[in-house]
Structures are given as structure tokens and as C-alpha cells.
Amino acid sequence: MQEFLANGRLFRLCLKELRESLRDRRTIITLIMMPILVYPLLSMALQRLILGTARPGSETTEYVLGVPDEETAKVVAKALGETQRAAADGLRPSIEIIRPTSQSTIAGAAATMQKTESPVEPSLDATPAKAPEKAAFSIVVPERDTVTSSLRDGQLDIAILRADLTIQERPRGERNPVFDFTMEFRDGDTRSEMAMFEFRKAMQLVNDYQAAIFRGPRMDQAVHVRATAIRQKLDTNASLAGILPLVLILMTITGAVYPAIDLTAGERERGTMEAMIATPAPRFILLLSKYVAVVTVAVLTALANLFASWVTLTAGGLGQALLGDRGFSFWTLLQILPLLVIFAAFFSAILLAMCSFARSFKEAQSYLIPVMLVSLAPALVTLMPNIEFSTLLGIVPLINILLLSRDIMTGTPNALPAFAAVLSTLLYAGAALVVAARLFGAESATSGSQESWSDLLRRPKRMRSTPDLGELAIYMAILFPVFFVATNLAGQWTEEIQSRLAVNAVLLVVLFLIAPASFAWYRKLSFRTTFLLTMDNEASSDTAILRTGRLIGIALSAILMAGGLWIVALEAIKVLNDFGLGGIAIENNPALKEAQIAYRAIPFWMILVFTSLIPAIAEEFFFRGFVLSALGTRMHASRAIVYSAVLFGLFHVINGSLLSIERFLPTALLGLALALLAIRSGALWPGILLHAIHNGLVFWLTRFTEQELEGWFGGTNEHFPVVWIAASVIVILAGLGILFASTRHRTHEVIA
């Protein structure tokens, strides 16, 4: 296999398969003709849909004002009464009283004013393009939710958080009311912004009236309005915006279907599959070439559809109607394209796996029709109003990419679900490709064989030393969604710090120790070599003194590297915080401040057990045992070290319900040291020692208050002193030197 990867044969095979796919007229129709026809028709349909769902024109538009209580409602009603008084005195035409509806608790009446040109132009944040002929205001007290949540849900047009009324004494004995409003409206929502515009105009009428009737000493404005724009929940427009990602995904799937069928079942039906299997190329390489061809066609289809949709929406102006003022920009297109590529990689592997059972083009189509229907059903859920892209939906295939694409288009992506969507889809793609490779190899071995899905789950008959990459891909595809959901739900099970630490420790033991051990037992993998449980790499001629000296040297190197890495890790986080890549500062968050105080009250032995010892054992058992062993079966030790460290860093980015990007770099650096130590020593135990000491020192530092740390860091705890950092680097280099000196006789560069 290495020969095919090194001398360019794989590239030539991929090019051959791609040429055969592009010669198929069905592929050309899907790639070129469909985008030209689909998106203009889709544009016209959406325009008719938007026009059909728009409210019919009317001279009067009634807006709903939400207030928190009855007293606030009375103040708002009195302010609208002042508007009526101003109009009745001739400053405006007469005002019509609108009776409130009975759908909610109504605290006051509403006023409607005729739209005319104002002699004094009001001061407004934004002026809508077109105002209604008449505007009415109904005052409502929400029965269940707060005014802010009701505003976000679209039940209200404006939320009045506070309304103060004071009486101003005039020199001639007049008593004039003065109002002060604190309000919220939905940013980017045309109706809410229009309601805010009309309310400001109504209040400006009161100010104009006061200025007109009192010509004495200068007086303050009678009404003060402070308005804040808040982000709205998804509405109908957002649901319509979800149509475009759905169409793009479906077209990407369609682009991959015909090549996947033709390169597997089609070749078997034409009788060319057996001749290909008889070549010296490994079967996985043959499948990989077909996979690359299918993914390439799917990506080309996605690119053609994405470009066609961008041109159609931009030229027709529908992009702004669906996505707001930002429209469907070119930057949005560049953000959506990688998501379509990731999804194409995932679904192409599924298609190849399904088509491996088929012996003809027609049979393959009958297999894929249920797959398409199953894929379409959850995708339609994303079109429902107010479906938010939550952390749990971030691991659901297809739905996660659709919702993430929709949020990118509307400008409201969330970091943690986005991270989960991308990483989980990549892991699902790897697992699906492994399944496709095994089905392809088994099905293509003989023309008369017929494998079943149960063969993939059957326990092997022979004991093996280490897992392969396929088993690692399948296990990771299962582990990540379980780990992601469990860590997000763990914080909801209990509020106590001690209980949270215990729950996290149990999760680590179950997911990273018990589960991989059970998987290794079922797959008949040797525990000794899979998890590096013994140090058996010494030469047989070594004396007991040499072995003892080597063990002492390895242990000393682990201690020294642990003593320096914790400072480097914390300093890296501090530097990332300076660049704005860190998390929420504790001093800026009262909840985190209280959690830190409660954390310091926990006995330190409990901290050592739950955050140092148990995580060190469980994580080393999996990442430097199972993961590193599987990677070492197919690649050089240096690449296995890097890949395992990257996986180690990615899993630590998930911090409960938060995405802690700043943890990736220091954790990946720690993973590099741990993987190097495992490969050089040939055992898991030195890494457990290094990992436990590193975690213990990091969490030991969090036990001190800011005042206690000031004396250590020269008056500030923002960064470590330069002397500390230099000393830590020297200690790490010393540990590495001792490690290489102690293991200089080690000859294995790849774990086997």
C-alpha cells in the first residue's frame, strides 16, 4: 500500500475513475443543467411565497406593546393619553381609541393617530422605508413569560422594561407629567423596528405639544425614550432561509448518487469489477480511488449549485428578503462551501457502502431510495420556525450541517454546536469509509459471495496485537457524540462543585477506560500491546542494574517535563487571552467568581483524585494506549505522535457547555510530550506519572487567591515572570535529554 501512495499510482487511479464518472451524461446533467434550472425556479417560488405570506395592506397597523405589570401599563396608557390630548388641541388630527383584544391581559387602552407631516422632525435611530397610514398600540401584560422573552419569540412588537412618571411643577402653577421609558425591540425585524418608529413619533408629539403651549422658561422634554435592539429568535424569514441550505444539500447528494452507483454496482453489472480486483493494487486503494472520484463530483456539484444560488439571489434581490440587509454575500458563500465539502465526504462514503451490496444499477437504486427518504425526513425539520441550533443537534448527521449553514447565512452561528457539527461529521465520514472499505473488499472478493451487515459486527476468531485504523475510526465516531452529550448534560445534573467533579471523573472512567477495554475484549485485541501495559522493549542482554537505571531515567524525565510543562501550558493560555482567544475572565463573571471560591473550599486530596489521578489514568489509557497503538499500525511514529496530540487537544476544547479554544494549544503540546514518552518508553505508566503531576500542579495553582499570587509574580498575576518561563523550558529540555539517553537502545519507531 505504501508503494501505491508513494509513486503516484493512487493519483492516476483517482484520475481514471473521475474521468469515467464525468463521461456519464447523467453526471453532466446533474452538474451543469440542474443548477441552471433549479435556482431561477426556486427564486420565483420563494418570491411568491414571501408575497403570499405578507400581511394584506391596511390603513391601520396595530402594534403590541408588552409591559411587565399593571402599574407600568397605566403609565404607558397615560403617555398615549397625552398623545391624544395633543392631537385633540389641534397639533394633530383627532385620535381614534382602539379597543384592546382579549387574547392577553390588557392593562390600558391604545391610541391611533393619523400620519401627517410633523413640524418638528423627531430624533430617531432608524427610519423605515415605508410607514403605515395609521398606527395603533395595544398594551399587553404577558401571562407567562417575561416581556423580553415574549419579544424574542415574536409575541410582542416592543417590550417596555420600565416606565417612570414624575410631575414637573411650572412657574405658573401648571403640573406637567414627565415620562421616562426603557424599551427593547428586535434588531433586523421590520415590524418591530416600525413599531419603535411609530412609538417614538407618538412620544415626540407630546414633546412638540409641550414646547408649543409653554413659551416661558426653557423646559425639558416631557418624554424620554431609551431603546435597545436585541437579537431575535428565528422567525418565518429564518425558516425560509433554511430552504436554501436544504436545496444545496439535496443537490450535493444527487451529484454523488450516480457516480457512486456507476463505479460499484455499474462496474459489477458490466463485468469489469473482477478484472480490477485481479490487479496488484490493494482493495482499499481501489475503493479510495472511487471514493475520491465520487467526492470530487459531489463537491463540483455543490460548487456549481452554490455559485448558481449566489448569482440568482444576488441578482434578483431575494437574498436580502431572506437573510436581511447582509444578503447572500460572497463571504457567506466561502463559509458555506467547506460545510458542503465535509458533508459530501460523509455522504459519499455512505453511498459507496450501500452500493457495495448491489449487483446491478437498478438494484443499487432500490437500495438508495430508502436512504434518500430517511435523509429527507429529518432535513425538513430544519424548516420549522424557531428551531434553534443547540449543542445536542450539533452531533445529529445532516441536521447539524443544515442548521449550521442556515445560521451562517443569517449571521447567527454558535461556536460550540458549530465545532461539534464539523468534528462529528468528519468522524462519521471516516467511520462510513471504513465500513465501505470492508464491504467493498468482502463483496468484491468473489462474484458469488454475498456479505451482510452482521458480518461487520461479528467478533473476530483470532487474537490481534493492536487495533487498526478502521476500528479507531468507528470507535471515535461513537465516542465523540456520547462524550459531547454527556459533558453538556453533566453540568445540569448537579450544582455542587464536588458532585460535578465526581460526575466528570466517572464519565472519564466509563468513556476512556471501561468502554475501550470492552471494545478491545470484544474485538480480541491484546490488552498488553493495545494499551502498552508493560515495558518489554529492553534487550535480553540487559542486566538488572541497566533495567533499573533505565526505569529511573524514564521516571525522572517524566517528572522534569511535568514540572516545566504546567507553566508553559498556563502561560500559553494567558497569551491567547491577550489576543482575545481566551474564555470568560473569572473577575468579570460573578458566577465563575463564586465557583472559584467554592472550589477552594474542597479538600485538596479530592482535587488530586478527581482532576489529576483519575483523568491521568483514563485519558492515557485511551489516547496513549488505544489511539496511539491504532495510529502506529499504519504510519511512522512521528506522525502518530502528532495526530494523537491533535485528537487529545480537540477533545479538551469541549468544556461542558462552552467551547474553550484557548485550551487546544497547551493541551496539544502536553499530548506531544505524553505520546513521545509512551513511544520512547514503550509503556503507559510514565505518561500517567507525567499527566498526574502536570494536572496536580495546574489545579494546585488555582487554590491561591490573587493577593497570594501577587508576591510570586512580581505584583501581577497576568503572566509568569520571564525567569519562571526560561527555567521551565530548561527543565523540559533536561527531561527530554534524559528520556532519549535512557531509551537510546530502543529501535522500534512504529508501535506494532
Side-chain angles (χ1 to χ4, degrees):
M1 182 178 296
Q2 295 292 337
E3 179 183 356
F4 278 85
L5 295 176
N7 59 15
R9 294 186 181 180
L10 177 60
F11 175 77
R12 291 192 293 271
L13 282 174
C14 295
L15 193 60
K16 168 185 170 297
E17 301 290 354
L18 182 59
R19 286 174 179 171
E20 292 183 359
S21 298
L22 294 178
R23 288 184 185 136
D24 194 328
R25 64 180 182 275
R26 288 165 294 194
T27 303
I28 299 300
I29 292 175
T30 304
L31 183 61
I32 299 177
M33 298 302 298
M34 291 295 288
I36 297 176
L37 298 175
V38 167
Y39 292 99
L41 295 176
L42 178 64
S43 176
M44 291 186 290
L46 289 177
Q47 288 178 355
R48 294 297 300 270
L49 180 61
I50 293 175
L51 293 176
T53 56
R55 298 185 181 183
S58 174
E59 292 186 356
T60 302
T61 301
E62 183 176 354
Y63 300 110
V64 181
L65 307 181
V67 293
D69 49 47
E70 300 285 342
E71 294 299 324
T72 306
K74 293 178 181 179
V75 175
V76 177
K78 185 172 180 60
L80 292 174
E82 290 295 316
T83 305
Q84 181 182 14
R85 173 188 171 191
D89 285 351
L91 191 61
R92 290 289 190 276
S94 61
I95 293 178
E96 172 190 358
I97 299 298
I98 300 296
R99 292 295 179 185
T101 61
S102 59
Q103 296 178 356
S104 302
T105 303
I106 307 299
T112 300
M113 64 178 184
Q114 184 73 26
K115 180 189 174 184
T116 60
E117 295 295 331
S118 174
V120 180
E121 188 66 24
S123 174
L124 303 173
D125 292 338
T127 302
K130 183 179 181 181
E133 293 300 321
K134 292 183 180 180
F137 299 100
S138 295
I139 308 170
V140 176
V141 179
E143 296 178 347
R144 298 180 180 179
D145 299 331
T146 63
V147 289
T148 299
S149 61
S150 298
L151 177 66
R152 292 183 186 274
D153 291 337
Q155 301 175 15
L156 305 175
D157 296 317
I158 303 176
I160 301 179
L161 306 181
R162 186 174 60 85
D164 296 331
L165 172 62
T166 58
I167 303 299
Q168 183 184 50
E169 298 288 345
R170 299 294 299 163
R172 291 180 293 180
E174 297 93 345
R175 294 169 56 86
N176 301 312
V178 177
F179 302 92
D180 193 342
F181 294 107
T182 302
M183 313 175 67
E184 292 179 338
F185 65 96
R186 291 188 298 274
D187 186 20
D189 185 275
T190 304
R191 180 178 174 84
S192 183
E193 290 179 348
M194 184 71 72
M196 193 70 240
F197 171 82
E198 295 295 341
F199 185 83
R200 282 183 179 273
K201 191 165 61 174
M203 295 301 102
Q204 184 65 31
L205 177 61
V206 179
N207 291 331
D208 295 345
Y209 176 71
Q210 296 287 353
I213 64 176
F214 296 108
R215 303 182 183 278
R218 178 67 178 174
M219 64 172 292
D220 295 333
Q221 287 188 335
V223 183
H224 301 270
V225 178
R226 299 178 180 87
T228 303
I230 64 173
R231 178 177 294 180
Q232 60 179 326
K233 284 190 176 180
L234 299 175
D235 56 5
T236 306
N237 285 343
S239 300
L240 292 177
I243 295 178
L244 182 58
L246 177 59
V247 173
L248 291 173
I249 289 293
L250 292 179
M251 294 301 293
T252 303
I253 293 174
T254 304
V257 166
Y258 287 112
I261 297 176
D262 185 67
L263 295 178
T264 51
E267 289 197 2
R268 189 172 291 111
E269 185 178 16
R270 293 189 295 268
T272 58
M273 180 66 72
E274 288 76 7
M276 179 177 293
I277 294 297
T279 62
R283 290 174 185 167
F284 179 76
I285 294 296
L286 296 177
L287 176 70
L288 188 60
S289 64
K290 297 178 182 296
Y291 175 72
V292 171
V294 174
V295 171
T296 303
V297 175
V299 170
L300 291 176
T301 305
L303 185 59
N305 282 269
L306 190 59
F307 182 75
S309 63
W310 176 67
V311 172
T312 302
L313 297 181
T314 303
L318 188 60
Q320 292 184 345
L322 290 176
L323 309 175
D325 294 337
R326 64 197 307 268
F328 191 12
S329 63
F330 188 73
W331 170 241
T332 303
L333 183 147
L334 295 179
Q335 290 178 289
I336 297 296
L337 181 58
L339 298 180
L340 295 179
V341 173
I342 293 173
F343 180 79
F346 163 66
F347 209 82
S348 296
I350 293 181
L351 293 177
L352 286 177
M354 296 298 299
C355 293
S356 295
F357 286 102
R359 299 184 178 280
S360 64
F361 204 98
K362 184 176 181 180
E363 184 181 353
Q365 286 180 319
S366 65
Y367 288 156
L368 294 184
I369 289 176
V371 176
M372 301 287 287
L373 294 177
V374 170
S375 302
L376 185 61
L380 295 178
V381 177
T382 61
L383 300 180
M384 298 176 60
N386 295 330
I387 296 295
E388 294 188 27
F389 187 27
S390 63
T391 54
L392 296 182
L393 290 178
I395 60 173
V396 180
L398 180 59
I399 292 181
N400 53 9
I401 298 296
L402 282 171
L403 291 178
L404 179 55
S405 301
R406 184 203 64 188
D407 287 358
I408 289 176
M409 288 184 175
T410 56
T412 59
N414 196 342
L416 183 60
F419 173 82
V422 173
L423 184 57
S424 62
T425 305
L426 288 175
L427 292 175
Y428 298 153
L433 184 59
V434 170
V435 173
R438 295 186 175 181
L439 292 175
F440 178 81
E443 177 69 11
S444 301
T446 59
S447 58
S449 64
Q450 181 67 40
E451 298 291 335
S452 63
W453 286 94
S454 61
D455 295 329
L456 298 174
L457 304 177
R458 187 176 294 116
R459 192 182 186 193
K461 298 180 180 180
R462 298 180 180 179
M463 182 70 67
R464 291 173 296 138
S465 59
T466 56
D468 56 33
L469 284 178
E471 290 170 322
L472 174 62
I474 293 174
Y475 186 83
M476 292 290 291
I478 299 173
L479 172 66
F480 177 75
V482 175
F483 173 77
F484 183 78
V485 173
T487 52
N488 277 271
L489 295 179
Q492 304 176 14
W493 293 339
T494 178
E495 296 294 334
E496 297 182 358
I497 300 296
Q498 297 184 13
S499 301
R500 286 189 178 186
L501 293 178
V503 169
N504 289 332
V506 171
L507 288 177
L508 289 177
V509 170
V510 172
L511 297 179
F512 293 124
L513 199 154
I514 297 178
S518 302
F519 184 87
W521 169 81
Y522 183 78
R523 300 298 298 174
K524 285 193 174 183
L525 302 174
S526 171
F527 277 51
R528 183 179 62 85
T529 53
T530 297
F531 301 106
L532 304 180
L533 298 182
T534 59
M535 300 180 65
D536 59 350
N537 60 300
E538 286 79 12
S540 59
S541 59
D542 288 348
T543 63
I545 297 177
L546 289 176
R547 293 194 182 98
T548 303
R550 184 175 292 110
L551 292 177
I552 294 175
I554 293 174
L556 180 60
S557 67
I559 295 173
L560 289 175
M561 285 192 289
L565 282 170
W566 74 284
I567 295 179
V568 174
L570 290 179
E571 183 62 25
I573 293 178
K574 294 177 183 292
V575 171
L576 291 174
N577 287 334
D578 292 341
F579 286 95
L581 300 177
I584 302 174
I586 294 179
E587 58 271 13
N588 297 332
N589 191 304
L592 294 179
K593 193 78 172 179
E594 294 178 3
Q596 187 185 46
I597 296 174
Y599 179 79
R600 290 172 182 155
I602 301 176
F604 190 57
W605 68 265
M606 188 177 296
I607 299 294
L608 290 178
V609 172
F610 288 154
T611 64
S612 299
L613 184 60
I614 292 180
I617 296 175
E619 291 177 0
E620 292 305 303
F621 196 80
F622 178 70
F623 287 102
R624 257 63 62 181
F626 190 88
V627 173
L628 198 59
S629 299
L631 293 175
T633 58
R634 290 293 184 183
M635 61 187 64
H636 192 272
S638 59
R639 285 196 294 165
I641 290 173
V642 173
Y643 293 160
S644 65
V646 170
L647 288 175
F648 186 61
L650 289 176
F651 268 81
H652 282 77
V653 166
I654 302 173
N655 185 15
S657 58
L658 300 175
L659 185 65
S660 302
I661 300 295
E662 74 278 2
R663 298 178 62 182
F664 174 75
L665 180 59
T667 308
L669 292 175
L670 176 63
L672 289 174
L674 291 169
L676 178 63
L677 183 61
I679 284 186
R680 295 296 300 186
S681 65
L684 203 65
W685 313 112
I688 293 177
L689 177 63
L690 190 159
H691 200 154
I693 295 175
H694 174 275
N695 285 5
L697 291 173
V698 169
F699 288 103
W700 169 73
L701 187 65
T702 61
R703 306 279 295 181
F704 296 95
T705 63
E706 296 180 2
Q707 292 75 16
E708 292 172 330
L709 294 175
E710 286 181 358
W712 291 19
F713 301 145
T716 177
N717 62 342
E718 290 297 325
H719 292 279
F720 285 99
V722 178
V723 177
W724 284 48
I725 300 175
S728 65
V729 173
I730 294 174
V731 170
I732 294 173
L733 294 177
L736 290 174
I738 295 175
L739 174 64
F740 279 89
S742 302
T743 58
R744 63 182 182 273
H745 297 298
R746 181 153 172 78
T747 57
H748 297 83
E749 291 187 345
V750 180
I751 299 176

